[in-house]
Amino acid sequence: MTFKELGVIEPILKALAEKGYTQPTPIQAQAIPVLLKGKDLLGSAQTGTGKTAAFTIPILQHLAEGVPPKKQRKIQALIITPTRELAIQIDDNIRAYAQHTDIRSTVIFGGVKQESQVKTLKRGVDVLTATPGRLLDLINQGFISLKNVNHFVLDEADQMLDMGFVHDIKKILKKLPQERQSLFFSATMPKSIIELSKQILGDFERVNIAPQQTTAERVDQAIYFVPKKNKTKLLVHVLKTEPFETVLVFSRTKHGANKIVKKLSQAGIQSAAIHGNKSQNQRQKVLNEFKDGKINVLVATDIAARGIDVSQLSLVVQFDLPNVPETYVHRIGRTGRAKASGNAIAFCDKDERPYLKSIEKLIDQRLPVVKHEFNEVVAEEGDSSSAKPQKKSYKPNSRRNSNSRNKKKSN
Ligand code: AMP
């Protein structure tokens, strides 16, 4: 299958070739023909699958066939995404794919001054990528009208809800024309997401890529039972004993992320934090350093981690277990992208045991437990973590055979 066979037009084909895309990814092969027909789409897909090109290429193609003269440019396509990093990444993609067309795009997000964003908007754009808060802000100030939007994309819907954007999304929906093509993407599909999608989509087709089970099965996972106070020591131990090149550590809070970076630094491990309290420039700088291999360990909150597009992520560490089990799956999906296998470990303290239960139920797997010297808790009876603490270091891709807890539940 080629992009040409999917019906993509010449100027976009040229740009894709220049990007080095030789063939469509599965989500592109499925979504592009549906979207070129003008249908609505519900996509269950994570970043790393080629999702951005899957939805931007058909939109650009629709617009390329009817871009008005510059003076009359109106926003015809709107893409909403939860974080600044993702917004920037999407607009970068759009610019690349549209470079041989007359289409103009821009991106807006909060946390920076609005002047230059407003200036670009005033010159007229066809495609706008935005985070919800700044979008509403500029709509309310009269700088943006959504009256001419024919294509609407809600990206990373599950994260939008997690971040409390539901009211903003509903306000934005009210400002959109009824007649439009709508696309809805979410990495996970809990009930709340399905409900929201019903309010947005008309008659839609569904595309399912990398379902949760596939990610959970592909990634080599392990759990470390550890008291909260020993988590940093354990992290240092893992990072010092295992040769991982690019490590993404998830922290529940921004404060926690900063603390981890400080403790790692005291132990001689260089890392950087990325979260919402950092300025846009700081975040972009850290991301670039991580991508270029100048920093090996990045400590991120869930929100900030959404924008991290690193194909060679070798280890994901969940320093805190999330209370939403789907988030666990999404986090481990940051490693082992496409068909590659990845490594993911999680630290679980006493209070996080109920979260672990929900996670294991969702992925239908018992996670293998790694024994180590930093677990001094007496665990529950019958639990394999109750075994006497002993030193055993983490061995990527070798635990599956070494622990009895990793067997799939028989029911
Ligand atoms: P996404 O899931 O949209 O974040 O894309 C993940 C990565 O895959 C990005 O770095 C894209 O540039 C890249 N990509 C998307 N489509 C293709 C393709 N057909 N061939 C090769 N790389 C691609």
Side-chain angles (χ1 to χ4, degrees):
M1 180 66 73
T2 62
F3 283 108
K4 195 170 185 173
E5 283 163 351
L6 294 179
V8 177
I9 54 173
E10 203 49 53
I12 300 176
L13 285 177
K14 192 172 167 201
L16 296 178
E18 284 164 8
K19 277 284 272 181
Y21 297 0
T22 49
Q23 63 180 60
T25 65
I27 191 169
Q28 291 160 5
Q30 288 180 51
I32 290 174
V34 172
L35 294 175
L36 283 178
K37 277 189 224 148
K39 284 216 146 196
D40 285 4
L41 186 91
L42 175 65
S44 172
Q46 308 188 344
T47 47
T49 53
K51 174 181 65 141
T52 317
F55 69 75
T56 49
I57 292 169
I59 290 177
L60 294 174
Q61 181 148 334
H62 285 300
L63 301 192
E65 285 159 354
V67 174
K70 284 180 183 142
K71 272 197 173 163
Q72 295 161 27
R73 278 180 203 271
K74 301 267 162 60
I75 298 164
Q76 298 174 72
L78 173 68
I79 297 150
I80 307 286
T81 194
T83 68
R84 312 165 209 188
E85 283 81 9
L86 275 173
I88 291 171
Q89 217 165 275
I90 292 170
D91 189 55
D92 281 350
N93 277 286
I94 292 171
R95 280 164 197 259
Y97 308 145
Q99 62 174 313
H100 302 298
T101 72
D102 189 30
I103 295 166
R104 218 190 266 165
S105 71
T106 197
V107 56
I108 59 169
F109 44 80
V112 293
K113 288 197 176 123
Q114 69 176 46
E115 278 73 23
S116 70
Q117 296 177 356
V118 169
K119 216 165 138 191
T120 313
L121 286 165
K122 279 185 177 162
R123 283 202 298 264
V125 295
D126 308 296
V127 186
L128 178 65
T129 306
T131 53
R134 178 56 58 97
L135 175 65
L136 279 173
D137 204 3
L138 295 187
I139 290 174
N140 292 337
Q141 293 178 54
F143 292 120
I144 292 175
S145 160
L146 303 182
K147 276 203 317 250
N148 297 285
V149 170
N150 297 318
H151 308 275
F152 172 64
V153 183
L154 186 70
D155 187 33
E156 306 272 348
D158 51 356
Q159 193 70 5
M160 293 268 196
L161 293 200
D162 284 356
M163 289 169 71
F165 281 141
V166 67
H167 297 296
D168 283 355
I169 293 168
K170 287 185 177 161
K171 280 184 203 156
I172 293 166
L173 288 176
K174 283 196 188 132
K175 298 184 188 296
L176 290 171
Q178 287 290 320
E179 277 293 309
R180 59 169 200 257
Q181 182 181 34
S182 298
L183 287 63
F184 186 101
F185 287 94
S186 188
T188 57
M189 288 285 168
K191 256 196 209 135
S192 53
I193 291 294
I194 303 281
E195 282 307 310
L196 180 66
S197 75
K198 283 183 190 156
Q199 295 173 34
I200 294 175
L201 300 170
D203 189 16
F204 66 88
E205 293 217 5
R206 191 163 177 165
V207 170
N208 234 338
I209 299 294
Q212 289 154 7
Q213 295 85 336
T214 309
T215 309
E217 281 163 15
R218 199 177 57 228
V219 176
D220 196 46
Q221 303 158 69
I223 192 100
Y224 287 70
F225 291 113
V226 59
K228 202 173 183 166
K229 67 177 168 64
N230 281 355
K231 282 188 173 183
T232 323
K233 283 184 209 150
L234 175 60
L235 181 62
V236 169
H237 171 74
V238 170
L239 296 178
K240 284 200 165 168
T241 48
E242 301 299 338
F244 290 109
E245 276 174 16
T246 42
V247 182
L248 180 58
V249 180
F250 282 95
S251 158
R252 187 177 301 135
T253 63
K254 301 168 194 172
H255 175 64
N258 289 338
K259 233 166 97 181
I260 294 168
V261 169
K262 199 168 152 200
K263 289 274 165 75
L264 288 181
S265 161
Q266 285 165 359
I269 299 169
Q270 214 209 338
S271 66
I274 177 164
H275 54 63
N277 279 4
K278 301 268 175 187
S279 75
Q280 181 55 28
N281 286 345
Q282 279 172 323
R283 287 160 75 166
Q284 212 54 51
K285 183 171 167 272
V286 166
L287 268 183
N288 290 341
E289 285 175 350
F290 189 59
K291 284 178 188 171
D292 297 344
K294 288 183 192 146
I295 299 173
N296 303 107
V297 183
L298 203 57
V299 186
T301 53
D302 286 298
I303 291 161
R306 286 267 164 156
I308 301 169
D309 175 24
V310 180
S311 49
Q312 295 298 321
L313 206 54
S314 40
L315 175 70
V316 163
V317 181
Q318 308 207 27
F319 194 86
D320 305 300
L321 274 186
N323 54 357
V324 177
E326 281 85 3
T327 303
Y328 171 89
V329 178
H330 193 80
R331 287 174 173 184
I332 67 167
R334 304 316 308 261
T335 183
R337 284 174 164 216
K339 289 187 190 115
S341 63
N343 290 290
I345 60 174
F347 298 169
C348 176
D349 71 22
K350 198 163 72 324
D351 298 338
E352 292 169 320
R353 291 294 182 98
Y355 304 159
L356 178 62
K357 264 200 177 143
S358 318
I359 289 164
E360 291 188 329
K361 194 166 166 227
L362 176 75
I363 62 176
D364 195 21
Q365 279 182 45
R366 301 297 298 276
L367 292 174
V369 177
V370 180
K371 309 244 174 62
H372 57 89
E373 62 193 301
F374 302 99
N375 188 12
E376 54 200 50
V377 212
V378 180
E380 296 153 23
E381 211 178 311
D383 195 314
S384 51
S385 65
S386 62
K388 240 183 163 181
Q390 51 176 271
K391 191 168 179 174
K392 185 179 178 204
S393 69
Y394 174 72
K395 289 271 180 293
N397 297 316
S398 65
R399 284 168 279 103
R400 290 239 152 106
N401 305 322
S402 65
N403 197 296
S404 59
R405 235 181 144 247
N406 66 340
K407 294 215 174 76
K408 264 203 152 199
K409 278 193 281 183
S410 52
N411 56 352

